[in-house]
Amino acid sequence: MNIDLTGKNAFVSGGSQGIGNAVAIELTKLGANVTIAARTETALIDAVVNLNMISSPFQQHDYVVADYSDPDKLNTAINRHLRKHNKPFHILVNNAGGPPQGLAIDANEEDFLAAFNTHLVSNHVLVKAFVEGMKQSNYGRIINIISTSVKQPLPNLGVSNTIRGAVASWSKTLANELGQFGITVNNVLPGATETERLKAIIANKSKKVNKDLETVAKEMMNEVPLHRFAKPEEVAFAVAFLASPSASYINGINLPVDGGRTSSL
Ligand SMILES: NC(=O)c1ccc[n+]([C@@H]2O[C@H](COP(=O)([O-])OP(=O)(O)OC[C@H]3O[C@@H](n4cnc5c(N)ncnc54)[C@H](OP(=O)(O)O)[C@@H]3O)[C@@H](O)[C@H]2O)c1
């Protein structure tokens, strides 16, 4: 099995922490040159320093500061980066912070538009910027970190549930269109994963149901057949495999990495 990514250039959105950072680390370990993006420059610099520490001398890592809620500015930043470095990206991992929690009925129009920009339009900006390079390399792996809410809506994540479905349909459509160029497009659907996002979800739930953090976390773990949360690297291993040469015939799928929590197939 060939999972070597030596010589491959990867772009990981939200790569400064959580699942995105774990993905950046796994792709680096497999030999890729990794560029990460997020809003906070200091966190990006720290993450690149860490990637450099686990790399061979031939690997090069970089970062782009961008706020995905503004796709026009993202477009400008990415095209500036491409002009400066003049190298194709072979692997694109779309992953940004999830939309705020709350009921769909309480959300206003701006909440849906903001999430649509951050999670769909910005992903599309990146695909458009990188697709020519992938076609010319005859190697493309587009992997979208979405959520199990693609299969089963999650409580109190109204805007997220709505937008995730749109991202999954966009992704499946691209998989149909781009497969002929050796480009695969797949979705990884994390379940509850130990990151800052999960901490915020537990804190919010704890306030709402008036139970302490530990009790809420335990109840959430008990909803998972494995009775525990995922480590970010357990999601990253799936992403890294989908990014590899050996995943060449896997296209257009949703891959839950949720310990079996989703109750449908
Ligand atoms: N953790 C879970 O249990 C879980 C479960 C299912 C789905 N997910 C989804 O998986 C994705 C990653 O989750 P996570 O838990 O790793 O989140 P996280 O720990 O909050 O990390 C989010 C990353 O995205 C960046 N980011 C956030 N908003 C951004 C924006 N507007 N523009 C650019 N970058 C932005 C953050 O950096 P900056 O803040 O510096 O920008 C950070 O690097 C999210 O979409 C989340 O909803 C997570």
Side-chain angles (χ1 to χ4, degrees):
M1 184 163 83
N2 178 10
I3 53 169
D4 183 14
L5 298 179
T6 305
K8 299 283 190 292
N9 302 320
F11 190 97
V12 182
S13 303
S16 58
Q17 68 175 48
I19 294 169
N21 186 247
V23 169
I25 290 171
E26 292 313 319
L27 299 183
T28 297
K29 286 182 180 168
L30 294 177
N33 305 307
V34 180
T35 300
I36 55 176
R39 293 167 298 184
T40 314
E41 186 165 21
T42 47
L44 287 165
I45 292 170
D46 287 349
V48 169
V49 167
N50 185 41
L51 296 182
N52 284 333
M53 287 196 311
I54 57 168
S55 294
S56 80
F58 308 106
Q59 285 171 268
Q60 284 189 334
H61 310 297
D62 205 345
Y63 67 86
V64 174
V65 181
D67 183 346
Y68 284 36
S69 65
D70 189 337
D72 286 341
K73 282 200 185 138
L74 173 65
N75 196 22
T76 305
I78 290 305
N79 282 300
R80 194 186 311 124
H81 183 87
L82 286 175
R83 276 196 304 277
K84 186 172 163 201
H85 295 279
N86 194 26
K87 65 173 187 185
F89 281 101
H90 308 98
I91 298 162
L92 167 62
V93 180
N94 285 315
N95 164 74
Q101 300 163 68
L103 301 179
I105 195 66
D106 293 336
N108 57 38
E109 292 84 333
E110 288 74 31
D111 298 328
F112 286 102
L113 292 172
F116 193 76
N117 275 332
T118 304
H119 291 273
L120 195 140
V121 183
S122 284
N123 289 358
H124 194 62
V125 162
L126 294 171
V127 169
K128 287 190 85 157
F130 299 159
V131 74
E132 268 320 306
M134 290 180 179
K135 282 183 187 174
Q136 280 167 23
S137 316
N138 199 29
Y139 192 98
R141 300 281 187 270
I142 299 169
I143 300 148
N144 307 301
I145 311 294
I146 316 184
S147 164
T148 55
S149 61
V150 165
K151 287 175 170 280
Q152 193 177 300
L154 296 168
N156 207 39
L157 285 167
V159 174
S160 179
N161 291 338
T162 308
I163 298 305
R164 308 300 189 167
V167 177
S169 294
W170 164 81
S171 169
K172 184 70 178 167
T173 305
L174 284 182
N176 292 340
E177 294 176 2
L178 298 179
Q180 62 186 308
F181 305 110
I183 301 170
T184 63
V185 189
N186 292 296
N187 304 325
V188 169
L189 315 180
T193 309
E194 285 171 2
T195 68
E196 293 305 313
R197 166 97 175 153
L198 184 62
K199 278 188 202 157
I201 287 174
I202 292 171
N204 190 291
K205 208 169 176 182
S206 147
K207 262 195 215 142
K208 222 175 156 193
V209 297
N210 200 21
K211 290 183 183 171
D212 63 67
L213 296 174
E214 211 178 308
T215 306
V216 171
K218 196 84 204 144
E219 284 174 2
M220 286 174 72
M221 283 182 205
N222 286 340
E223 290 167 12
V224 184
L226 292 181
H227 280 210
R228 64 175 179 85
F229 296 139
K231 302 264 178 229
E233 59 268 27
E234 292 181 296
V235 179
F237 295 149
V239 177
F241 177 71
L242 289 172
S244 76
S246 284
S248 49
Y249 207 65
I250 301 176
N251 190 29
I253 65 156
N254 285 320
L255 175 58
V257 182
D258 67 348
R261 186 186 64 183
T262 304
S263 58
S264 63
L265 284 172

